[in-house]
Amino acid sequence: MPVDSSLEKTADSARPHRAPAGQGIVPLLVVGGLFAAVLAAALLALAGDPVDPGVVNAYGPTVIRVTAEIGCVLTVGSLLFAAFLAPPQQSGTLAVSGYAAMRMASWAAALWFVSALVSVPFAAAAAIGRPVTSVLDTRTLINLIDLLPEAKAWLFTAAVAVVITVGARIVLSWGWTVVLFLFAMLGVIPVAVTGHSSNRQHDLASNSLLLHLIAAALWVGGLVAVLAHGKRTGSHLPLAVSRFSKLALVCWLTMASSGVINALIRVPLDSLFTTSYGVLVIGKVCALTMLGLIGYLQRERSVRDLRAGGSGNLLFRLGALEVLIMLATFGLAAALARTPPPAVFAEPDPVELRIGYVLSGPPTLARLLFDWRVDLVYGVIVGALAAFYVLGVRRLRARGDKWPIGRTVSWLAGCFVILMATSSGFGRYAPAMFSIHMETHMMLSMLAPVLLVLGGPVTLALRALPPAGKDGPPGPREWLLAAVHSPVARALTHPVVALVLFVGSFYVLYTSGLFDAAVEEHWAHVAMNTHFLLVGCLFYWPVIGVDPTPRQLPHLARLGMVFASLPFHAFFGVILMSMQTVIGEQFYRGLGLPWTADLLSDQRLGGGIAWATGELPLLLVLVALLIQWSRADEREARRTDRRADADGDGDLKAYNAMLRQLADGDRP
Ligand code: HEM
């Protein structure tokens, strides 16, 4: 795609902001990165890491890990800056600052790609306890990759990074920048769910580390991008900085809470000062406290100074100090990731080893309803969904606007169903028993979406969020509108696409062997839950959603979608009930749960659940749809009556005139 050369010369907005240049960012990153790598290696040497002989094997993985993490956060942060911190041009093309950030994203992703690729043989060598040179021949490496989740995770990360390296070079439009940003976030996931996270309580450990790493990437990478490209935004600098400042606060809180949860899983409080692992954790708490204090100064002084038209000098100076501390903390983190946690906990039993926690007995109704174990990822998502909705309703009420209570109830009930499916006893037993897994699947894909789309969240957001104004830089309201009207949303809400995704994924997941491959992985359960929820929302949004969809379907077509899906659901339930092989047998048998000795019966029960609980919500949808249809007819009739009153039955007169004309034409 050709690039307008004027982009290189002018700032985003005509009135440039008097901010100092950010050219020092590359030396700062090089010095900080080297320091982080040396610190990590030195800490490991002090801790007496006995894993591998030789310098390369002993320190190579850690140095490469630090490099990969720095590449990752710089990529994500630069894309964040281009997508959401620096406003694009009116035409939708990136402005100068966004374009510069994309260049940086491409370079950072190249670094991320190379270090992720190099991490593959290191991960393989570490897993079998041999020097890295012994796994370098292609056949051995391929065999090991096939066996080792960590090596696979790095390979996946490398694939994501290479796409970003190329994509960030060619993308110039705002919409594609957002797509690349979301795609880059995928690269954070594999590292978070492997390594130390795969030991005891691995569900909580993986989820908290995932939140920790996402927050680190947005915060550290976002700050570097603001320092590097902020001045190019010209008079938009205060806006970019104030947006980042709000995000930084959320990231700080997320890092603190997720870091503490993660640490407590691995090291008991009384071992904090007596073990290498504990001391490193204390080091990180100190770093986060320092960063919190500097962040406070930034909010109180630099951001205010910028808003008042100041030079921004303080922001850039304090920012540089923050980046150095953050990079040093990355060194600490990498050393922490390679230091064995103290061996003070009892060996986990087979169930705990495989699903992360113990089950206290068969799933009685009381246990399913009241034996909660919070899913950190969905707990955070549901909390945020409910809180934003209630804030939106309050904002409307505060300015005297009405919002139907039924919609609020429906939305909150949808959030509650998600929480039940992921964090109550249902969520606890779902990874261990096929029947309960199927129950949560139905809750997430059939019940929660129906309730959520009846809440009308997009309509609420569009009414509650302030518009940017004619020439103002686009904000959350405009981003939401762009997402709803995007070609991706249009394609996904096409009735055929939505229907195929909705019913097709049942068959693909359970009859293709995919479920067998995924059932053992915690991340796969999170991914499955996300998939069920999203395809459910995609299906029900055009059918009964309160929000207008990119394609407005007539009521008859909506009814057709529901009827078309009914037999597929029923048939799927029947297939499960009549199957003679057990899906995910190896995994379920490995758990050895005494109350599911007969796995085929449990699977048949799952089939029955899929049939019964799947059809019920569809019947509810049919009723809701018919009510909506009749209300739409009534509204149309009322509109016609009003028009008739206003123009003195104009339509009727025109119709009579036409009949008269026809009659005159028939007369000889
Ligand atoms: C309250 C403060 C913090 C605590 C308690 C904490 C705790 C932890 C723990 C327990 C891990 C998992 C290590 C393992 O796999 O064994 C971790 C990983 C990590 N933390 Fe923190 N952390 C804190 C603050 C920070 C800060 C301020 C940063 C960076 C700015 C950071 C960056 C990271 C990174 C990048 C990882 C991944 C390490 C890797 O797997 O290579 N953390 N943290």
Side-chain angles (χ1 to χ4, degrees):
M1 205 180 287
V3 177
D4 180 356
S5 61
S6 63
L7 279 177
E8 301 282 10
K9 295 174 198 139
T10 53
D12 289 3
S13 58
R15 194 161 49 84
H17 200 276
R18 288 178 293 117
Q23 314 99 332
I25 199 72
V26 175
L28 184 76
L29 289 176
V30 173
V31 171
L34 283 176
F35 180 66
V38 172
L39 180 69
L43 287 171
L44 278 181
L46 276 177
D49 178 32
V51 181
D52 294 313
V55 176
V56 172
N57 291 299
Y59 304 117
T62 308
V63 172
I64 291 294
R65 196 173 179 103
V66 174
T67 317
E69 276 163 9
I70 292 178
C72 165
V73 299
L74 294 186
T75 308
V76 171
S78 307
L79 292 169
L80 166 80
F81 183 88
F84 297 114
L85 301 184
Q89 300 179 43
Q90 293 269 340
S91 60
T93 308
L94 292 178
V96 187
S97 54
Y99 172 70
M102 291 299 271
R103 288 266 147 171
M104 183 159 152
S106 175
W107 283 112
L111 179 72
W112 189 17
F113 165 67
V114 173
S115 34
L117 213 55
V118 177
S119 297
V120 176
F122 273 119
I128 57 169
R130 304 258 299 272
V132 69
T133 40
S134 68
V135 299
L136 285 184
D137 80 284
T138 324
R139 185 185 286 235
T140 315
L141 198 56
I142 291 176
N143 286 342
L144 284 173
I145 290 172
D146 203 32
L147 294 174
L148 301 170
E150 193 172 346
K152 268 193 226 147
W154 281 116
L155 210 56
F156 177 83
T157 306
V160 171
V162 77
V163 172
I164 308 281
T165 308
V166 179
R169 285 262 144 193
I170 49 180
V171 160
L172 274 183
S173 70
W174 177 80
W176 279 107
T177 305
V178 175
V179 174
L180 277 189
F181 167 70
L182 296 175
F183 188 66
M185 301 295 273
L186 284 182
V188 182
I189 299 171
V191 181
V193 295
T194 52
H196 271 173
S197 291
S198 49
N199 294 328
R200 66 183 278 279
Q201 308 240 32
H202 71 238
D203 59 328
L204 286 182
S206 308
N207 286 352
S208 57
L209 195 54
L210 182 63
L211 296 174
H212 200 65
L213 289 180
I214 289 177
L218 294 174
W219 184 29
V220 181
L223 178 64
V224 172
V226 168
L227 298 184
H229 313 296
K231 71 183 179 76
R232 294 182 202 255
T233 56
S235 60
H236 289 316
L237 179 62
L239 174 75
V241 169
S242 99
R243 278 180 184 172
F244 176 71
S245 170
K246 284 180 200 136
L247 177 70
L249 180 62
V250 176
C251 290
W252 190 91
L253 292 171
T254 310
M255 295 216 63
S257 44
S258 57
V260 169
I261 292 174
N262 202 298
L264 287 178
I265 291 171
R266 303 165 206 277
V267 52
L269 283 177
D270 55 6
S271 304
L272 263 185
F273 294 94
T274 52
T275 56
S276 312
Y277 196 93
V279 172
L280 287 176
V281 168
I282 291 175
K284 293 190 74 182
V285 174
C286 295
L288 193 75
T289 312
M290 266 194 287
L291 289 169
L293 289 175
I294 302 177
Y296 177 75
L297 274 182
Q298 292 276 41
R299 288 172 78 84
E300 289 303 304
R301 302 246 179 101
S302 321
V303 180
R304 282 194 185 171
D305 172 57
L306 260 182
R307 281 206 195 116
S311 66
N313 273 331
L314 186 62
L315 172 92
F316 284 83
R317 256 188 253 129
L318 281 179
L321 179 63
E322 271 185 283
V323 170
L324 280 180
I325 299 177
M326 285 168 170
L327 291 179
T329 318
F330 270 68
L332 273 182
L336 191 66
R338 290 213 57 209
T339 306
V344 287
F345 296 106
E347 269 302 297
D349 74 6
V351 177
E352 184 176 5
L353 203 61
R354 290 183 152 208
I355 64 170
Y357 46 86
V358 286
L359 296 171
S360 40
T364 56
L365 187 62
R367 284 198 180 112
L368 288 177
L369 291 179
F370 303 115
D371 196 2
W372 283 57
R373 178 180 175 88
V374 174
D375 177 317
L376 284 182
V377 170
Y378 272 96
V380 170
I381 293 177
V382 165
L385 289 179
F388 281 126
Y389 194 96
V390 172
L391 284 178
V393 175
R394 279 184 56 172
R395 189 178 276 189
L396 290 197
R397 292 254 163 87
R399 65 169 192 238
D401 288 356
K402 286 203 179 113
W403 182 256
I405 183 77
R407 289 185 189 174
T408 308
V409 171
S410 180
W411 178 263
L412 294 180
C415 291
F416 183 69
V417 171
I418 301 177
L419 208 59
M420 281 296 285
T422 53
S423 299
S424 70
F426 285 102
R428 184 188 272 270
Y429 280 87
M433 293 175 64
F434 187 82
S435 51
I436 310 286
H437 162 83
M438 196 46 76
E439 184 60 59
T440 58
H441 178 160
M442 292 302 132
M443 283 159 119
L444 287 171
S445 71
M446 309 286 281
L447 188 55
V450 173
L451 296 165
L452 291 178
V453 299
L454 287 174
V458 178
T459 310
L460 174 67
L462 292 179
R463 283 175 62 187
L465 290 168
K470 193 165 161 284
D471 296 319
R477 189 173 187 280
E478 289 67 34
W479 298 336
L480 182 63
L481 268 177
V484 173
H485 292 142
S486 67
V488 178
R490 239 185 112 66
L492 288 177
T493 50
H494 187 286
V496 177
V497 176
L499 186 65
V500 168
L501 281 176
F502 186 54
V503 292
S505 37
F506 282 74
Y507 292 88
V508 173
L509 180 62
Y510 298 107
T511 59
S512 70
L514 196 60
F515 187 80
D516 293 71
V519 64
E520 192 144 359
E521 308 289 344
H522 170 72
W523 65 265
H525 285 278
V526 179
M528 276 191 268
N529 287 347
T530 310
H531 175 82
F532 300 150
L533 193 61
L534 287 182
V535 293
C537 289
L538 274 182
F539 180 78
Y540 289 116
W541 181 21
V543 174
I544 49 162
V546 168
D547 298 321
T549 42
R551 303 167 185 273
Q552 282 299 327
L553 298 180
H555 282 91
L556 203 57
R558 300 176 190 201
L559 203 59
M561 274 176 84
V562 178
F563 273 119
S565 72
L566 279 171
F568 288 103
H569 276 292
F571 189 53
F572 171 70
V574 173
I575 290 183
L576 280 186
M577 287 195 287
S578 52
M579 262 170 112
Q580 294 304 319
T581 50
V582 176
I583 302 172
E585 178 168 12
Q586 207 185 349
F587 171 74
Y588 290 124
R589 219 167 276 298
L591 291 178
L593 296 176
W595 59 89
T596 49
D598 186 355
L599 293 176
L600 209 51
S601 301
D602 189 54
Q603 180 168 303
R604 289 194 180 130
L605 178 62
I609 290 173
W611 190 0
T613 56
E615 301 297 298
L616 264 181
L618 278 175
L619 286 178
L620 287 181
V621 168
L622 269 182
V623 174
L625 184 55
L626 291 175
I627 293 174
Q628 283 181 355
W629 196 350
S630 79
R631 281 192 189 158
D633 279 353
E634 275 171 28
R635 268 201 304 274
E636 184 56 40
R638 273 203 298 274
R639 245 198 311 273
T640 316
D641 286 351
R642 270 202 303 274
R643 229 182 11 240
D645 287 348
D647 62 11
D649 275 339
D651 282 352
L652 191 64
K653 283 180 188 155
Y655 182 66
N656 287 337
M658 184 193 74
L659 289 181
R660 260 197 311 277
Q661 224 173 1
L662 287 175
D664 289 348
D666 285 349
R667 243 175 245 140

